[in-house]
Amino acid sequence: MITNDIPLRRIDHVRFFVGNARQSAYFYRNAFGFEVVAYAGLETKVRHEAGYVLRQGEITFVLISPLSKEHPDSQRLISHGDGVMDIAIDVADVSSSFQTAVSRGATAVRNPEAIEDEYGIYESASIRAYGDTTHTFVNRDRYQGVHSPGFKPIDADRYSAATAHPVGLAAIDHIVGNVEEGKMNEWVEFYRKVLGFEQLVSFDDKDISTEYSALMSKVVQNGTGRIKFPINEPAKAKRKSQIDEYLQYYGGPGVQHIALMTGDIIETVKAMRANDVSFLRVPKSYYDSLPARVGPIRESIDDLAELGILVDRDEEGYMLQIFTKPVADRPTLFFEVIQRRGSKSFGKGNFKALFEAIEREQDKRGTL
Ligand code: FE2
């Protein structure tokens, strides 16, 4: 019997490795409404990379770029393009979390270290997840700095909080990984066995093996339900799976999408659209059948149709969601904006409409 004896508190931050962190920071700030709060680089005596810390609500993104080809991760940019390198998880005890994970079969990437600077002690250690993705256990209980050693608050003359325009993104709802065909169960087992997650039964195989979906998905979550990681693998279908397309362009398994929670999806999506974020669109006919499918909802169907927001209902309530197009040139990482009104599910009632929308995009790319 596995108990959840690695007390994972929350997702601390998501670390992206990108070709040009300065310009990515501009994108996430001006399109997604993040505030740029900290910087690391030559000016803060960090010689090998530049980093930006962005924050909105409880969400923290860290964008990193190498400053030379000697950077140990510089090859990632050729293999993967821009993408998520690490999902960092806040834990009460870094050493014991790491030792427990490794003793249960996790691959160590970086042993526990405690770095001390003028702001206190920052502890972290990393293990391998799918592909080149890692999980870092972090503890900042004894650290008062803006993010982690090396980072300094951003210069007010470079980015000021006064000019940030948050769009209402509040927290990370879930982070989805794409893995190779036949590997989904292995990774579900990894999260169960190594990190003490439980598998949710929100999808079963027959729900998702339609001719359109061409993917299989299972969801694991930690004991408190605050950390949710769906895992996808490609499935054989009439058309090339969107997961195969991802694996080809990312050069292996990795993070497919990050779902960001909002308390008011209509206002959030309006603001993001005004900032030129591109979202997937479903046909107007989706909204004709919506009232019959989901019953009464608080939002106006006209508003949802205007913005392209999808709705799904289960026994506990309903949820609203929308997906961006990929945020880089490779058809890899994208984002979801989600608002929950009782439902804890992931929108399986939208799969058909959504996957057809994705297929239209794949068709334009010649990868279907
Ligand atoms: Fe999602």
Side-chain angles (χ1 to χ4, degrees), residues 68-356:
S68 78
K69 70 180 190 324
E70 276 70 43
H71 190 291
D73 293 305
S74 61
Q75 279 301 313
R76 290 183 70 99
L77 293 175
I78 293 169
S79 308
H80 304 313
D82 290 5
V84 171
M85 73 186 302
D86 184 79
I87 301 166
I89 301 172
D90 176 31
V91 298
D93 185 331
V94 167
S95 289
S96 82
S97 301
F98 176 82
Q99 301 305 346
T100 306
V102 169
S103 73
R104 292 173 179 171
T107 304
V109 173
R110 199 163 45 77
N111 287 329
E113 58 181 354
I115 303 177
E116 191 164 2
D117 69 8
E118 70 254 55
Y119 304 106
I121 299 171
Y122 180 89
E123 293 175 81
S124 65
S126 305
I127 60 169
R128 183 157 294 294
Y130 42 79
D132 284 337
T133 316
T134 54
H135 286 305
T136 297
F137 299 119
V138 308
N139 180 281
R140 56 177 76 256
D141 291 351
R142 293 183 291 160
Y143 193 71
Q144 308 301 323
V146 63
H147 178 69
S148 63
F151 283 92
K152 295 276 158 60
I154 196 89
D155 283 348
D157 60 347
R158 209 158 149 193
Y159 285 118
S160 83
T163 60
H165 299 287
V167 300
L169 298 170
I172 291 175
D173 187 87
H174 58 274
I175 300 180
V176 182
N178 283 342
V179 301
E180 305 96 324
E181 188 176 350
K183 296 287 187 182
M184 174 183 67
N185 286 327
E186 226 171 85
W187 285 103
V188 167
E189 273 315 292
F190 167 86
Y191 283 103
R192 279 162 46 92
K193 200 176 105 214
V194 172
L195 293 180
F197 281 49
E198 58 186 340
Q199 190 197 320
L200 298 184
V201 287
S202 57
F203 305 118
D204 68 32
D205 296 354
K206 72 177 182 312
D207 289 325
I208 53 183
S209 301
T210 69
E211 65 179 306
Y212 299 101
S213 69
L215 68 82
M216 305 265 280
S217 187
K218 288 184 176 173
V219 183
V220 290
Q221 73 171 17
N222 78 320
T224 63
R226 287 192 73 181
I227 305 174
K228 293 192 272 286
F229 293 151
I231 310 282
N232 296 332
E233 71 173 30
K236 298 255 182 297
K238 283 185 186 165
R239 299 293 187 89
K240 178 172 175 170
S241 171
Q242 53 175 291
I243 312 302
D244 281 321
E245 185 197 38
Y246 176 99
L247 294 169
Q248 177 187 340
Y249 283 94
Y250 193 71
V255 170
Q256 178 208 39
H257 76 265
I258 302 174
L260 303 173
M261 196 191 293
T262 169
D264 186 342
I265 195 167
I266 289 176
E267 288 308 313
T268 296
V269 172
K270 269 186 194 163
M272 291 174 75
R273 277 175 53 137
N275 294 342
D276 271 342
V277 176
S278 299
F279 292 97
L280 285 176
R281 301 298 304 223
V282 296
K284 288 274 183 245
S285 58
Y286 172 91
Y287 295 94
D288 299 337
S289 55
L290 191 61
R293 189 164 67 77
V294 301
I297 56 174
R298 284 156 67 171
E299 295 73 17
S300 122
I301 302 274
D302 287 345
D303 284 349
L304 300 178
E306 162 71 25
L307 296 167
I309 295 166
L310 311 178
V311 190
D312 198 21
R313 181 182 284 281
D314 62 20
E315 316 72 52
E316 296 177 282
Y318 66 97
M319 53 92 91
L320 306 109
Q321 65 183 166
I322 190 169
F323 295 85
T324 72
K325 293 184 180 180
V327 292
D329 287 308
R330 298 193 195 196
T332 53
L333 177 71
F334 59 90
F335 289 85
E336 174 181 352
V337 178
I338 182 169
Q339 180 179 4
R340 296 190 178 279
R341 291 206 187 271
S343 167
K344 297 195 188 73
S345 73
F346 297 84
K348 79 183 174 200
N350 290 322
F351 277 12
K352 184 168 181 287
L354 200 56
F355 294 160
E356 286 171 332

